[in-house]
Structures are given as C-alpha cells and as structure tokens.
C-alpha cells in the first residue's frame, strides 16, 4: 500500500508541477502564456458505477455462482451420474467467468486477504494431491482449508472434474472415485467460504476481524481516506488494474508456455490445461478490462467507465483504446482456429503459433496505450 | 657452522705457511703453539659473540611478546564466495529439472574484539551477505488492519550478527550478554569457511533452524575440566514467517526492524571436549513459545511452543576427522499457525503455509588430510558427507508432503594453499522421497578466507 501511496503522491506532485510550471516561468518572460493543458471531468458517477455495478456486481456473481457450483458438487456426491458430473463441470466453467473477468481489478481485499492464492494457485501440486487421495479415507472442508493452496481452489477442482487434460477434457463418471467426489465437494465448500469473505470485505467490512471497519467499496466511493487520498487515487488504481492483467495475460499466461519456439514451449505452465479452458480464461481476463473501460458488462446499457474519462481529454485516444481492447479479445479467441484447438495444443502447432503471436502483439499494443496514453492523463486532469 | 668454517680456514692457512719453517722444528713447534693460542682466542671471542647474539634475539623476542601481551584488541575477518551448478525445479509440479549455474558472494564478515580489562570483553560482528544491501520488514499497526511493509527490494543483507559484552569471572564461569549466538546445532560453532568441509554450510540444518542463530539475551557459561555447560535466555522466534519448506528457520526475527520479545526462549547446552578442535560431543535443547512474538498476536490460539533437541559430535584421529549432528523439533499448535499465516492480511505466505508438527535433520561427514601422503606443506582434505532434512515430517492433520524430504551425498576436496585461504570443490547427488522425482546432481566450488590481526 505504501508503494501505491507514494505513486499517488508522485503523480499528484507531477500534476501540480505541470499545472504550476507555466505560471512560475511567466515571472521571467511575460510574453509566455500558459499552455492550454488539462481537462476537467466529474468522476463521481464513473467511480460509483465502476465500484457498484462492475466490481461489486462481479464479486456478487462470483459468490452466487460459487454457491451453484457447491450445490452441483454435492449433488454429484449424492448421485454420481454422468449428467451430474457434466453439470458440475459446467458450473466450474460458469464460476470461472466472473473470477477471470475480476482479475482486471485485483486490488483491495482480494490482494490484502490473500484470496487470490487461496482460490487460484497455479501450478497444482499433483503429487501431494495424489498422495492425499491415496492415503486419506475422507475429506472435510475444515481440514482442507488448512492445507497448502496448491492442493485446493479452482485448479484442484478442475483436475478432479476434468482429468489430467493430456488427451481429452471429458473425464467420465466411471473414472471418478468416490473419494475424489468427496474431495471435490469439500474443496468447493472452502472455495465458497473464500468468495463469501471477498464479497463481504467489499460490501460489509474490509477487515473480517473488525466488523466496524468500512466496506472496501466505501473507500472508493468516498475517497479522502487512508487508502485513497482522492478520486485521482481511485482512477489510478483502476487503470493500473487493467494494465496489470493485460501484462499478465500477454507476457505471462500466454508468453510463458508459448516460449520462443515449439521446442521451448511448455505445456506444464498452461493455466486451466485440464479443462482446456485456457483461451476462455484469457479472453475473459481482457473482457474484464473492457468491463472497466466501458463501465458496463456486454449487452448492458451504456454507463460511465474509464472511456468517458479518457474521452474528456481526447476522444481519439478513447476510441482507439476501445478498439485495441476489442482487437485483443478477438485475437485471443482466434487462437483456437477453425477446429477449436485448445491452447495447450496450439503452442505446439506452427499455424496456431502465428495466431498466438498475433494475440501477444495485440496485447502489447493495448498495454502500451494504457500505460502511455491513458495512465498519463491523470497528470492533466483538473479535478 | 660459522665456527667450523673459520677453524677450517685457519688450519688451511697454517698448512700453506708450514713448509717455509720446516727446517727449524723448534721454531715450527713454537709457531704452531702460538697459532693454537690465537685459534683458542678466536674461538673464545666467537663464543662470546654468539652468546651476545642470542641474548639480543631473546631480548627482541621478549619485546615482541610484551607487545602482543599488551594488545587488547583483535580484528577478525572471514568470507566466502561460491559457484554452484545444480538442477532446479521451476515449480511444485515440475518433475523435469533444469540445470542452472550461479555465483554468490555468500558473506564477508568483520569482527572486532576489545578486551577492556582482564574480566570484560566487548565483541561485535558485522556481516555482509550476498554482496550486501537489504530491506527491513516493518509492521504498521495503524495501517488498515495492520500491514507488513517492505521498503526496498532485498538483494542481500547487512546485519549485525553479534554485539556482546562478556564477563569472565574466573576459569569456571563467564557470562555473555547482548546480541549473542544461540548454540543450537553445530552450525553456529563451525561457521567459518575452514570450519566446515562442504562448499556451503550444512543445508540440512538451514532447512530447520536459523543458521548461525543470533538473538538478544544472556548466556551463562560454566566450565569444569573438559565439560562446558551453557544456559541462555534469549528472544524467541515469530511464527508468522514459519514456512513449509524450512520450518521455523525463517521465524528468525532478523527480517523485522525491531524484535518482539514477548516470548523468550531457553537454551541449554552441554559439551564434553571441544567440537572446534575436532574432539567433543554435545547436546543442545531449545524451548520457547512463538505466538507472543507475532505482530498479529490475536490470530493464534495456543502458545505455539517450539522444542528442538540436538546431538552433535566430532572426533579426529591422526589425519582422520568425523563430524555429525542430529536435530529433531516439535511445534505445538502447528495447525493454528498454518491457518493464521494463510489469512493474515498483507503477509502473503501464498502457498507453503502448512507447517510440520515435527521436523528433523541430520548430517555426518568424514574427512582425511592427505598432506603427509602427498608430502605437501599445507593441508589437503578429501571428504565425503551425507545430509538429510525433512522440515515437514509430521503434520497435525492429513498428509505431510514428501516434497521436502531430501537427502544428499557429497564428495569433495578442501585445499589450503596457505593458512588463511581455503579452496573447495564438491560434487553431490540429491535424493527425493517424492516418488516421481529423479535424483539430481550438483557441482560447486568455493573459496574462503579468514584472518585475525
């Protein structure tokens, strides 16, 4: 947090210096008139909308879908049929969507309370998972929550639901042991507790140990607190959140397993490789960026987002960045090609590798625009 | 030598001059007599001169001794640098290691010792690790719900390892106080480059406890014949930073700006002989609570009591040296600490929060000094060692991961070209308890220096 604060302080002082620069020099040279820099924008509506209708709404969806998922796993434990397994697999994919989209704003309680590693640690410790399944006779949520993060969360549940993902992603009910179902259900329960904690931290009290602490959303809605000194700090946090995930998808999630050639590609570092859900994950990550940028989810009525802030300064940049986000999502989806190739296969396929490179390039362009053209607007913003 | 040379020269001169007086026997005899007298006088003078010379040497020697005896300070220094090529696992799921090489300026240590008088001594030791820069972790209780903040990135460390005053009452009793070494395990005794054979200090010990463990407190030392007994009361560990892979080692509060001292620890140690001199056996025992020293102390119910037992020994005979150690530790409330570490805001244990309720480690090494075998003027040791550590031997609930149950066999050489320098080379093979991990190998070189002025 200290880093964030100093960044904010630096930005604010840069903005102040930029604002004062011309007036101080006018003492020396009276012919110089102040350059017409700066733009004004009333940010309250945008911040309110992004906080309530994008971020908090996203965590609410995550929590609701986690509940549906827990129920699906319990149904599977009680009635282990192929249909119930398929339903649980689908429920896993459904709960994955708000989580991956929410990675565009992975600050606040999700970071401070270590919710991210609890829910989404990668890679999975398959050795320990196998040992647990071989040596334990039963599992409970109380036990599992104390174990290391690499044997619980999304990817543990994915492994139990979909199999090892090497040749297919459609584990049959016959391949699933009773103990695996029990583990799945218990892990899902722990998972749901974490999504509840996250939602409560945003809406009730940001410190789970202190019910009097403010909801985290109120810190954004009413800046001038310990975390956000002003609305400028909130907007900076939102823009940096977008930059963070674009960087992670382009330079981490895609580029790491991609390697420099087919020989150096590495399937072991592909996220969501068991369910073959990787490309959906990646495009949802950037969809999350679009949600914050535009201020609404797809198909929803137009509301204020970062795009409106950018537009107040430069309409051309606002439209260009919007196009770059769309292009990045399209490029990621295009990796699958005509035959719906999963990412873990695509990194080993020459033609698909070209499409992957296109997606990486699109993300690089987007990241550069967010860093150079959007984040820098904070210096010109006259609050 | 000088005398006999002069004698020979005189006799030769005599022999050469003899024929000119050969006709007159009496004259010759007289001349010989006179020469003999002269020779005796010369010998006498030479003897006197030699006596004087040795007196001067003795005087100079005494003078030097007097200077040495009057020097009431000492400056010691040691350091080591390492090159290592080893097979690295990229992550917890990786079973196909990649070979990487690295170098490390492991440490440069400067130690000042000052004898204030015959009873009191002050000593400070400053260590630069990994080239030396650093970051202190700060706990800010007024920020949100308490935050851990690191001001700068750590690349190395500059640390005061020791700052102690020692009072020696008599040959049988002494007290050390201040920031002192905790004598659990023999890593603290044998931490200078020439005191351990492996290229790096024993990793097995470092997998369990702080290596060269230093805390603030008081150390009572009793000596009687060959027996040394020690009792220490020092600051304890903080369970916030206990981790799966090295148990309580990172609970050493050196990462914090200030050390919480709500929980103190008791250390007892008994030694027979002298480990450093290669002849001794000993036993160490450590016990202390760890919950009170947490910054977020309300997150753990229970004291988090930690107990460590250690036995160690060294024996040398002629050119052979054998050393070994076994450590066993127990941590109470390990489940509660695990849970608290997972959910402490800002602490970011990520993975690796799960803690062993029991942990153990051991090593044994055998060395042979081949100096006389190769007719060398300085020592050349060949050694072989075995190390084992399992920081998560047992857990309170569920399965203990076998990922960190590791053994290593090493062979190597230590060469001391001169008294203050040691060059080491070692090859080793690591063996893992986890079924799907093949053995890995490593090769390392190191250089260490040490001196005292």
């Amino acid at each position: 947090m200290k880093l964030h604060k100093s960044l904010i302080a630096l930005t604010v002082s840069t903005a102040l210096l930029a604002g004062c620069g011309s007036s101080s020099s006018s003492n020396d040279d009276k012919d110089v008139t102040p350059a017409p820099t700066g733009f004004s924008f009333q940010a309250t509506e945008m911040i309110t909308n992004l906080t309530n209708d994008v971020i908090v709404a996203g965590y609410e969806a995550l929590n609701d879908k986690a509940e549906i998922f827990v129920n699906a796993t319990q149904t599977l434990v009680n009635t282990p049929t192929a249909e119930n397994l398929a339903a649980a697999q689908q429920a896993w994919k459904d709960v994955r969507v708000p989580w991956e989209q929410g990675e565009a704003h992975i600050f606040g309680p999700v970071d401070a309370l270590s919710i991210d590693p609890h829910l989404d640690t990668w890679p999975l410790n398959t050795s320990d998972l196998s040992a647990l399944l071989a040596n334990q006779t039963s599992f409970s949520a109380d036990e599992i929550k104390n174990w290391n993060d690499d044997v619980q969360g999304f990817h543990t549940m994915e492994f139990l639901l979909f199999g090892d993902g090497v040749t297919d992603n459609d584990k049959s009910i016959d391949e699933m042991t009773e103990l695996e179902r029990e583990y799945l259900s218990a892990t899902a329960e722990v998972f749901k507790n974490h999504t509840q904690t996250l939602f409560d931290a945003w809406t009730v009290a940001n410190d789970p140990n202190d019910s009097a602490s403010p909801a985290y959303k109120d810190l954004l809605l009413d800046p001038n607190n310990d975390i956000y000194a002003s609305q400028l700090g909130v907007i900076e946090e939102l823009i940096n959140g977008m930059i963070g995930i674009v960087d992670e998808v382009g330079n981490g999630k895609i580029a790491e397993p991609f390697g420099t050639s087919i020989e150096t590609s590495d399937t072991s570092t592909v996220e969501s490789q068991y369910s073959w859900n990787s490309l959906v994950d990646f495009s949802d990550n950037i969809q999350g960026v679009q949600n914050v940028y535009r201020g609404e989810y797809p198909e929803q009525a137009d509301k204020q987002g970062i795009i409106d802030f950018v537009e107040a300064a430069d309409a051309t940049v606002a439209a260009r960045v919007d196009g770059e986000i769309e292009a990045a999502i399209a490029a990621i989806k295009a990796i699958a090609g005509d035959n719906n190739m999963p990412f873990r296969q695509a990194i080993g396929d020459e033609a698909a590798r070209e499409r992957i490179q296109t997606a990486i390039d699109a993300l690089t362009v987007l990241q550069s625009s967010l860093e150079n053209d959007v984040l820098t607007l904070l210096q010109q913003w006259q609050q | 030598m000088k005398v006999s040379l002069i004698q020979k020269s005189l006799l030769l001169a005599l022999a050469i001059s003899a024929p000119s007086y050969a006709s007159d026997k009496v004259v010759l005899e007289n001349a010989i007599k006179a020469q003999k007298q002269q020779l005796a006088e010369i010998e006498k003078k030479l003897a006197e001169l030699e006596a004087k010379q040795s007196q001067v040497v003795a005087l100079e020697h005494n003078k030097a001794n007097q200077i040495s005896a009057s020097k009431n300070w000492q400056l010691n220094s040691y350091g080591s640098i390492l090159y290592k090529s080893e097979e690295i696992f990229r992550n917890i799921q990786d079973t196909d290691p990649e070979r990487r090489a690295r170098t490390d300026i492991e440490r440069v240590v400067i130690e000042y010792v000052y004898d204030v008088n015959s009873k009191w001594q002050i000593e400070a030791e400053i260590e630069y690790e990994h080239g030396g820069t650093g970051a202190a972790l700060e706990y800010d209780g007024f920020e949100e719900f308490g935050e851990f903040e690191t001001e700068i990135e750590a690349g190395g460390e500059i640390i005061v390892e020791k700052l102690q005053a020692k009072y020696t009452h008599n040959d049988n009793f002494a007290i050390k106080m201040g920031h002192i070494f905790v004598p659990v395990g023999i890593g603290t005794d044998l931490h200078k480059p020439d005191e351990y054979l492996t290229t790096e200090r024993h990793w097995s010990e470092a997998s369990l406890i702080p290596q060269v463990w230093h805390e603030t407190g008081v150390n009572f030392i009793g000596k009687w014949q060959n027996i040394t007994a020690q009792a220490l009361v020092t600051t304890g560990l903080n369970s916030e930073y206990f981790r799966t892979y090295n148990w309580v080692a990172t609970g050493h509060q050196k990462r914090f700006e200030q050390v919480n001292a709500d929980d103190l620890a008791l250390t007892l140690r008994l030694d027979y002989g002298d480990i450093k001199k290669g002849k001794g056996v000993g036993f160490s025992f450590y016990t202390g609570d760890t919950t009170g020293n947490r910054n977020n102390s309300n997150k753990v119910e229970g004291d988090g009591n930690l107990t460590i037992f250690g036995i160690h020994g060294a024996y040398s005979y002629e050119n052979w040296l054998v050393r070994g150690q076994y450590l066993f530790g127990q941590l109470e409330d390990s489940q509660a600490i695990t849970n608290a570490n997972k959910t402490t805001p800002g602490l970011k244990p990520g993975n690796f929060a799960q803690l062993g309720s029991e942990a153990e480690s051991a090593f044994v090494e055998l060395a042979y000094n081949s100096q006389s075998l190769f007719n060398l003027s300085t020592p050349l040791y060949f050694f072989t060692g075995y190390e084992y550590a399992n920081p998560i031997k047992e857990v309170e609930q569920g399965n203990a991961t076998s990922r960190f149950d590791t053994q290593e066999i090493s062979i190597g050489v230590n060469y001391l070209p001169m008294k203050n320098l040691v060059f080491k080379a070692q090859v080793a093979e690591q063996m893992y308890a986890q079924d799907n991990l093949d053995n890995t190998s490593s090769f390392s070189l190191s250089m260490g220096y040490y001196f005292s002025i």
Side-chain angles (χ1 to χ4, degrees), chain B residues 13 31 85 441-442:
Chain B
S85 163
S441 64
S442 66

Side-chain angles (χ1 to χ4, degrees), chain B residues 81-86 100-106 130 445:
Chain B
I81 194 160
L82 173 80
Y83 164 85
K84 189 169 191 180
S85 163
E86 62 188 329
R100 300 297 302 268
R102 62 186 167 90
T103 65
D104 183 9
I105 307 167
E106 290 184 303
H130 316 296
L445 299 168

Side-chain angles (χ1 to χ4, degrees), chain A residues 171-352:
Chain A
K171 185 173 178 173
S172 74
I173 189 70
D174 304 329
E175 295 174 84
M176 197 179 210
T177 66
E178 190 182 342
L179 207 55
E180 284 178 353
R181 289 192 290 271
E182 193 175 311
Y183 196 158
L184 173 71
S185 173
T187 318
E189 205 179 318
V190 178
F191 180 89
K192 170 67 176 68
N193 286 338
H194 289 309
T195 64
Q196 186 69 51
T197 304
L198 179 57
F199 183 55
D200 289 347
W202 272 89
T203 55
V204 183
N206 74 85
D207 179 359
N209 299 318
D210 177 9
S211 57
S213 64
Y216 199 84
K217 67 172 185 163
D218 292 333
L219 299 173
L220 276 77
L221 294 173
D222 185 19
N224 189 20
N225 51 58
D226 287 347
I227 311 297
Y228 303 105
S230 67
Q231 288 186 330
L232 187 142
V234 176
I235 302 175
E236 185 181 34
E237 182 95 280
L238 291 164
I239 296 172
N240 276 327
M242 295 194 292
I243 292 170
I245 192 63
V246 172
D247 178 35
E248 190 180 326
V249 174
N251 302 321
K253 292 183 178 190
I254 295 181
E256 276 292 316
F258 182 60
T260 52
S261 64
I262 285 188
E263 288 72 37
T264 57
S265 68
D266 181 4
T267 51
S268 80
T269 55
V270 175
E271 193 178 11
S272 295
Q273 59 173 288
Y274 310 127
S275 56
W276 293 5
N277 202 55
S278 316
L279 291 174
V280 178
D281 279 5
F282 306 158
S283 59
D284 273 334
N285 285 152
I286 309 304
Q287 182 61 56
V289 172
Q290 193 181 62
N291 297 343
V292 174
Y293 190 71
R294 289 188 175 173
E296 69 271 349
Y297 287 96
E299 316 302 328
Q300 284 186 344
D302 180 50
K303 292 180 201 167
Q304 280 205 6
I306 298 293
I307 190 171
D308 297 279
F309 172 78
V310 180
E311 212 162 47
D314 188 333
T316 315
V317 172
R320 194 187 79 217
V321 173
D322 191 49
E324 286 170 2
I325 296 173
E326 269 190 3
I329 295 172
I332 293 168
K333 286 183 173 169
I335 292 172
D338 301 332
N339 53 353
N340 203 23
M341 187 183 278
F343 185 67
R344 61 167 292 149
Q345 273 78 351
I347 55 173
D349 180 275
E350 279 298 353

Side-chain angles (χ1 to χ4, degrees), chain A residues 1-2 5 111-114 117-118 121-128 131-132 135-136 140 142-152 194 206-209 213 216 219 226-227 256 266 268-269 273-274, chain B residues 90-95 138 140 142-145 147 149 151 244 298-299 335 338-339 341-355 392 395 397-404 434 436-437:
Chain A
M1 259 337 143
K2 195 153 236 174
K5 273 192 188 166
D111 178 46
L113 303 177
S114 290
H118 297 339
T121 280
W122 176 256
L124 184 60
N125 190 339
T126 42
S127 300
D128 279 7
L132 284 163
N135 298 309
Q136 295 262 115
S140 73
D142 281 346
E143 273 182 290
I144 289 173
K145 76 173 183 197
N146 292 318
W147 296 348
N148 278 345
D149 291 332
D150 57 14
V151 289
Q152 54 180 302
H194 289 309
N206 74 85
D207 179 359
N209 299 318
S213 64
Y216 199 84
L219 299 173
D226 287 347
I227 311 297
E256 276 292 316
D266 181 4
S268 80
T269 55
Q273 59 173 288
Y274 310 127
Chain B
R90 292 178 69 189
N91 56 53
I92 200 83
Q93 190 172 249
D94 187 12
T95 54
E138 183 183 79
D140 183 353
F142 294 98
E143 184 77 37
E144 285 187 70
F145 24 86
E147 276 197 355
E149 293 171 347
E151 296 297 334
T244 308
N298 61 347
K299 304 233 9 149
Q335 191 78 7
T338 297
N339 200 20
N341 288 358
K342 287 187 79 142
T343 55
T344 298
L347 193 55
K348 298 208 192 319
N351 209 357
F352 308 121
Q354 194 183 25
L355 287 169
I392 183 157
V395 288
Q397 200 180 51
N399 269 39
T401 177
S402 57
R403 185 66 183 77
F404 304 100
Q434 188 169 306
N436 59 352
L437 297 181

Side-chain angles (χ1 to χ4, degrees), chain B residues 267-315:
Chain B
T267 307
L268 300 173
R269 174 149 162 167
L270 192 67
D271 281 292
Y272 178 77
D274 191 334
I275 288 287
K276 284 196 179 193
K277 288 181 181 163
K279 272 192 179 135
V281 288
F283 168 81
S284 52
F285 169 78
Y286 173 96
T287 183
D289 292 344
T290 58
T291 302
N293 289 337
R294 294 178 72 91
N295 292 293
N296 259 325
S297 56
N298 61 347
K299 304 233 9 149
V300 177
E301 270 186 44
D303 297 327
N305 183 264
L306 169 69
T307 315
I308 301 165
F309 304 90
I311 53 169
H312 51 261
Y315 183 71

